[in-house]
Amino acid sequence: MTLELPLKLEPFRTKIEATIEPYVEIQTHLTTEATLWQSKFAGLPYLPKGFDYPKTPEGDYLYLLAQINFVEVPHLEGFPQKGILQFYISAADDFLYGADFGAPTEQKGFRVLFFPDPVNETDDLITDFDFLPSSWNRESGSVPFCIFPDHSPQSSKCVALKFELKSAPISRNDYECEVILGEDFTSLFYEDDSLWEYYQQFACGHKLGGYPYFTQEDPRFYQNEEEAWVLLLQIDSDYKEEGIDIMWGDVGVGNFFIKASALQKLDFSNILYNWDCS
């Protein structure tokens, strides 16, 4: 990957290009024809019969935020090549979206599930979700999704996903950016707002892996652990005229992180979930 850098960033080209890593870009489009095992944002999940639908400790049902079927995803080093990975969040806490910023790894208001060997037979799956509450209503502040005119878990509408393998350098607000590229690099962004606009293109958007984007600061800065957290999934705010409206607070972004050793073992029990907005 050869970057077309603004003149002010040219002195840092070698260091910037040394940080380039692959990731999978996620593109969205509205659909009413998604299968239960298809990759999607919102909609109805893949769940085998007899599997307990995820809930909060208080017994409130969680809602499907994202489902990734890795058979549909270009191979990304370190990530599964098959299996269905799901992310659920609570709609019971207004404007928190299931996050606990004091304990971001406790899977109470959110849950991550992985099915390593999914089956594509509807007869083996839960298909009746009438037990779920009736709607995701973003205007209530409970969820970041809205599909016009409105979206309920019983609806066939969801956000279908397409994937493309790409690469990008470290993001400006990655907690290691200043360590790797130096204070002279990061200070340039406070002197020239146009550099922010140029450089954030590498971090924004929906993605698997790669470098994350934040509207505020990287929560990993405060995680004093020997093994670093790596980006698992990022869902950005997103609006399309076809009816997709994803909004984390005030045009924010949601991130899920995992440790590389856990990802290699397909162990999704320890996940750091964070979202922020401007």
Side-chain angles (χ1 to χ4, degrees):
M1 178 183 184
T2 301
L3 302 175
E4 295 183 7
L5 294 175
L7 187 60
K8 289 183 179 180
L9 297 184
E10 274 296 341
F12 303 93
R13 174 177 291 278
T14 300
K15 286 185 176 181
I16 293 172
E17 291 186 343
T19 69
I20 291 175
E21 289 188 358
Y23 70 96
V24 172
E25 179 185 77
I26 303 174
Q27 302 159 356
T28 60
H29 67 280
L30 193 62
T31 185
T32 58
E33 300 179 354
T35 66
L36 289 172
W37 48 84
Q38 184 175 329
S39 298
K40 64 185 75 171
F41 291 161
L44 299 174
Y46 167 97
L47 283 179
K49 287 182 177 178
F51 192 94
D52 290 334
Y53 191 97
K55 302 177 183 178
T56 67
E58 294 74 29
D60 295 313
Y61 289 106
L62 300 175
Y63 285 98
L64 182 68
L65 177 71
Q67 175 170 288
I68 308 296
N69 188 334
F70 281 98
V71 170
E72 303 169 1
V73 179
H75 178 55
L76 184 63
E77 186 67 29
F79 279 67
Q81 297 189 53
K82 65 182 182 70
I84 290 179
L85 183 63
Q86 298 174 336
F87 301 79
Y88 293 82
I89 60 172
S90 171
D93 46 1
D94 288 357
F95 296 104
L96 288 180
Y97 311 143
D100 184 340
F101 300 109
T105 63
E106 291 191 14
Q107 295 194 34
K108 295 180 179 179
F110 79 99
R111 192 76 47 77
V112 179
L113 301 177
F114 183 66
F115 299 94
D117 297 297
V119 296
N120 292 355
E121 296 292 337
T122 305
D123 290 344
D124 297 324
L125 304 179
I126 297 173
T127 58
D128 182 358
F129 292 90
D130 285 346
F131 57 88
L132 291 176
S134 61
S135 70
W136 285 54
N137 181 3
R138 188 170 64 78
E139 291 183 0
S140 72
S142 60
V143 294
F145 284 167
C146 177
I147 299 178
F148 301 118
D150 65 339
H151 173 67
S152 71
Q154 289 76 21
S155 170
S156 59
K157 290 183 180 179
C158 70
V159 181
L161 309 179
K162 292 184 178 180
F163 305 94
E164 184 177 353
L165 188 64
K166 293 191 172 183
S167 58
I170 190 170
S171 55
R172 165 60 190 89
N173 44 11
D174 188 292
Y175 77 113
E176 291 189 312
C177 182
E178 187 166 296
V179 174
I180 295 172
L181 298 182
E183 188 176 350
D184 289 344
F185 172 83
T186 56
S187 64
L188 289 174
F189 292 83
Y190 299 104
E191 302 168 4
D192 187 344
D193 289 342
S194 67
L195 292 181
W196 280 102
E197 185 176 349
Y198 164 80
Y199 205 80
Q200 71 178 4
Q201 68 177 300
F202 299 125
C204 293
H206 315 305
K207 63 173 67 175
L208 293 163
Y211 296 102
Y213 169 67
F214 309 98
T215 61
Q216 297 187 32
E217 59 183 346
D218 192 335
R220 297 173 298 172
F221 180 82
Y222 303 100
Q223 304 295 319
N224 297 317
E225 301 183 40
E226 289 185 8
E227 185 177 359
W229 296 92
V230 297
L231 182 63
L232 179 59
L233 171 68
Q234 174 170 291
I235 301 178
D236 207 345
S237 289
D238 186 7
Y239 175 80
K240 289 184 172 64
E241 290 184 359
E242 61 180 317
I244 296 173
D245 187 4
I246 303 173
M247 188 69 65
W248 297 88
D250 183 13
V251 198
V253 59
N255 295 290
F256 294 84
F257 299 93
I258 191 171
K259 294 182 178 179
S261 61
L263 182 57
Q264 184 178 22
K265 294 182 288 187
L266 303 180
D267 177 3
F268 298 94
S269 60
N270 190 27
I271 300 291
L272 191 158
Y273 166 42
N274 180 81
W275 69 270
D276 63 15
C277 64
S278 55

